Amino acid sequence: MNDANTVLIVDDDPAHRTMLRTLLTGWGHTVSEADDGAGAIAMVHEQAFDLILMDIRMIKVSGLEALGEIKTFNPAIPVIIMTAYSSVETAVEAMKNGAYDYLTKPLDFDELRLTMERAMEHSHLREENRLLRESLGTHFDTHNIIGASPAMIRLMETVAQVATSEATVLITGESGTGKEMIAGAIHFNSLRKDGPFIKINCAAITETLLESELFGHEKGAFTGAYRRKEGRFRQAHGGTLFLDEVSEMSLAMQVKLLRVLQEREITRVGGEEVVKVDVRIIAATNKDLMAEIRAGRFRDDLYYRLNVVAIAMPPLRERREDIPLLAQHFLEQFSEKNRKQIKGFTPQAMDRLLRYEWPGNVRELMNAVERAVVLAWAEYLSEQEFPLIIRETGPADGWPEGDSGTGEMPLGEVEKTTILRTLELSNGNKSEAARRLGITRRTLHKKLKAYGVMPS
Ligand SMILES: Nc1ncnc2c1ncn2[C@@H]1O[C@H](COP(=O)(O)OP(=O)(O)OP(=O)(O)O)[C@@H](O)[C@H]1O
Ligand SMILES: [Mg+2]
């Protein structure tokens, strides 16, 4: 959570604005000012604010009107209303219209500071969850978990079963197999789904920071800790904490984590107070934890705490049936994103995708399809759009050598390969391919439909 924030002060009284600016700048915030509601609306359209502090009674556009506009434009910005005692009713009205809270003038500075802190904490968490849910809506929702292979069906059954339990889950698997996606699916299908889903990548943070990230710190716990900060455990209270790359934690941190998992309570760095946390843990790793244990890098007691339910993500090369489904899913997704009208893959391109080893698993497939969609301009993605995969999968099978070489293929196959080859050489331009083949565009369409290259 950021300690310094961008705050917009809206007040038509210049003296009051100056006072607030001095105060808030002193607290470390960056401050902008507007002298009426219209100005505030304009500024909100131009710049992102973490918080708005607004007088409700202004002469031109009133605070109440401005509030409505601001909330329509960005419902996530917390707005704190300032009001005189005489207009508390208007303030209540403002609360109904989405204001976070109201303060009466003259302001009590401690109250102001606390209200601002609470508002921002609240909105950061809400924003984080909203973004997450949005991304889950498009990629991570169970409906968007693609897979029909026996391995994926078994996996989804396990996910459905464990989701409703409170069990700690350890997800293992190679990079790009969908560990994070599954963690999200478990949370959003659990009883905690309306609580926060908080994620932390243990590999991305240095050891000293990791402790304060996880457990929070007290004001003055170390240089730069000028106010108390809650950690991820506390943020995940009532929800799920996803510990990604858990094998990268130092042995010392592993001891601390183990204690928290046993006691379900934390102590902030530099503090004494014991804080209860109600958090479900999902951990993930792409390492072999048993090997890490043997090498003395991972504690076996922590392993058994985490590995209550184990979910092993199968690599993509062991469930090749899923490749066409995933490829088509990403094709649709990226066609839409890039405003292209790409319909599918040529059989040769799909054959390449099926034969490739996919060391980077689903993520690599997704990236390959995205790149192909961006580059392509024909209706069907052909081999040319997957140069890296062509290199890895070797020379094409079943292609005639040169334009007329036919080897010993049945005539129908010769025709099909020639037509598809010509289409590729024409960069997918059907009129051009028909011209080169000496047939009409209609005949070409009929053939392509028969090969299943075009929808009938
Ligand atoms: N079965 C699937 N259906 C749809 N999308 C998937 C599937 N599996 C993975 N993805 C997508 O592939 C990408 C990689 O998945 P994810 O980040 O969950 O993998 P990961 O195992 O956590 O990888 P890493 O170890 O590299 O962090 C994501 O964008 C995810 O949405
Ligand atoms: Mg991941």
Side-chain angles (χ1 to χ4, degrees):
M1 213 165 296
N2 275 334
D3 286 342
N5 289 284
T6 320
V7 181
L8 174 62
I9 299 171
V10 193
D11 199 318
D12 59 355
D13 175 352
H16 202 244
R17 276 204 315 273
T18 308
M19 182 276 289
L20 279 175
R21 181 177 24 137
T22 315
L23 189 68
L24 266 64
T25 317
W27 290 344
H29 302 303
T30 308
V31 173
S32 299
E33 296 172 34
D35 62 3
D36 69 352
I41 295 164
M43 291 185 74
V44 165
H45 278 82
E46 268 167 28
Q47 200 189 326
F49 292 102
D50 297 307
L51 183 107
I52 299 175
L53 203 53
M54 182 157 64
D55 187 12
I56 200 136
R57 276 174 68 185
M58 288 175 292
I59 300 150
K60 282 188 254 165
V61 176
S62 83
L64 211 51
E65 279 171 71
L67 176 69
E69 289 253 355
I70 290 166
K71 282 280 151 182
T72 316
F73 179 69
N74 182 353
I77 308 180
V79 180
I80 298 173
I81 295 293
M82 299 178 287
T83 179
Y85 271 116
S86 57
S87 50
V88 163
E89 266 159 48
T90 332
V92 172
E93 188 64 23
M95 299 277 291
K96 283 192 199 144
N97 287 303
Y100 174 78
D101 207 343
Y102 71 88
L103 300 169
T104 44
K105 282 182 178 175
L107 297 176
D108 172 329
F109 295 158
D110 278 337
E111 194 188 0
L112 171 65
R113 195 172 43 76
L114 283 174
T115 311
M116 284 178 59
E117 275 176 16
R118 254 192 299 124
M120 288 188 282
E121 191 150 333
H122 178 80
S123 88
H124 283 306
L125 279 182
R126 226 183 33 191
E127 178 67 1
E128 236 167 81
N129 281 323
R130 188 188 61 76
L131 288 177
L132 209 111
R133 240 167 244 162
E134 240 173 49
S135 68
L136 283 161
T138 50
H139 306 291
F140 293 173
D141 188 83
T142 38
H143 306 293
N144 273 317
I145 298 181
I146 308 294
S149 58
M152 278 307 277
I153 290 170
R154 266 199 311 277
L155 193 118
M156 290 310 295
E157 280 166 6
T158 314
V159 168
Q161 271 171 8
V162 308
T164 48
S165 81
E166 288 282 295
T168 303
V169 181
L170 178 63
I171 307 175
T172 54
E174 290 177 16
S175 183
T177 44
K179 297 185 292 294
E180 187 171 338
M181 176 191 72
I182 291 297
I186 292 173
H187 171 75
F188 286 98
N189 285 290
S190 76
L191 300 171
R192 295 171 175 266
K193 63 173 178 289
D194 295 322
F197 178 62
I198 302 289
K199 188 191 129 173
I200 183 162
N201 183 341
C202 304
I205 306 170
T206 62
E207 173 164 5
T208 31
L209 271 183
L210 183 60
E211 183 172 3
S212 114
E213 269 304 310
L214 280 173
F215 308 131
H217 62 245
E218 293 293 344
K219 178 177 174 177
F222 44 83
T223 354
Y226 67 87
R227 76 178 205 212
R228 171 193 277 183
K229 182 177 159 167
E230 296 297 358
R232 299 279 166 164
F233 261 97
R234 183 68 193 156
Q235 289 174 11
H237 188 65
T240 305
L241 180 62
F242 177 50
L243 296 171
D244 203 1
E245 309 217 30
V246 71
S247 65
E248 302 310 299
M249 233 178 231
S250 72
L251 285 164
M253 272 307 295
Q254 292 175 28
V255 178
K256 289 179 182 150
L257 176 62
L258 181 67
R259 226 205 87 226
V260 174
L261 297 185
Q262 282 162 344
E263 327 255 311
R264 297 284 157 177
E265 51 190 35
I266 52 161
T267 311
R268 296 184 195 91
V269 175
E272 305 269 294
E273 191 193 343
V274 174
V275 186
K276 283 247 168 262
V277 283
D278 165 28
V279 170
R280 186 207 196 151
I281 304 289
I282 303 179
T285 178
N286 53 20
K287 291 234 170 100
D288 174 357
L289 283 189
M290 287 318 268
E292 294 296 296
I293 291 171
R294 282 193 298 274
R297 283 190 296 262
F298 204 82
R299 291 183 63 101
D300 59 351
D301 46 6
L302 178 58
Y303 172 78
Y304 291 111
R305 275 272 161 191
L306 294 174
N307 194 41
V308 179
V309 176
I311 294 186
M313 303 298 302
L316 188 55
R317 64 184 167 280
E318 286 174 16
R319 45 179 169 114
R320 291 185 194 265
E321 315 88 294
D322 290 339
I323 293 174
L325 298 177
L326 285 161
Q328 187 64 31
H329 168 76
F330 294 133
L331 177 129
E332 282 160 20
Q333 188 179 313
F334 293 120
S335 295
E336 195 182 310
K337 185 174 150 203
N338 293 286
R339 292 171 212 285
K340 290 201 170 180
Q341 308 262 310
I342 297 169
K343 297 194 177 127
F345 299 82
T346 66
Q348 290 71 29
M350 185 51 77
D351 178 60
R352 295 285 189 177
L353 300 186
L354 282 165
R355 283 193 289 135
Y356 182 59
E357 284 298 298
W358 300 110
N361 294 293
V362 183
R363 181 180 292 110
E364 186 182 8
L365 174 61
M366 181 171 83
N367 292 339
V369 173
E370 177 168 26
R371 181 177 182 282
V373 167
V374 168
L375 294 178
W377 50 275
E379 283 186 329
Y380 291 83
L381 297 181
S382 67
E383 288 181 292
Q384 270 78 9
E385 269 96 45
F386 299 96
L388 296 173
I389 290 156
I390 289 191
R391 204 189 308 151
E392 294 288 319
T393 47
D397 299 334
W399 284 113
E401 290 296 312
D403 278 348
S404 57
T406 54
E408 299 208 344
M409 271 196 263
L411 193 55
E413 276 301 301
V414 175
E415 184 184 278
K416 179 176 169 183
T417 45
T418 307
I419 287 177
L420 293 174
R421 177 79 173 141
T422 311
L423 188 63
E424 288 208 12
L425 290 173
S426 317
N427 286 318
N429 182 329
K430 291 196 213 85
S431 307
E432 167 76 9
R435 194 189 55 72
R436 287 190 186 185
L437 289 161
I439 57 176
T440 64
R441 208 163 177 276
R442 252 185 80 184
T443 310
L444 179 64
H445 273 216
K446 228 170 61 200
K447 301 264 182 208
L448 290 177
K449 276 182 191 161
Y451 305 150
V453 175
M454 270 180 60
S456 39

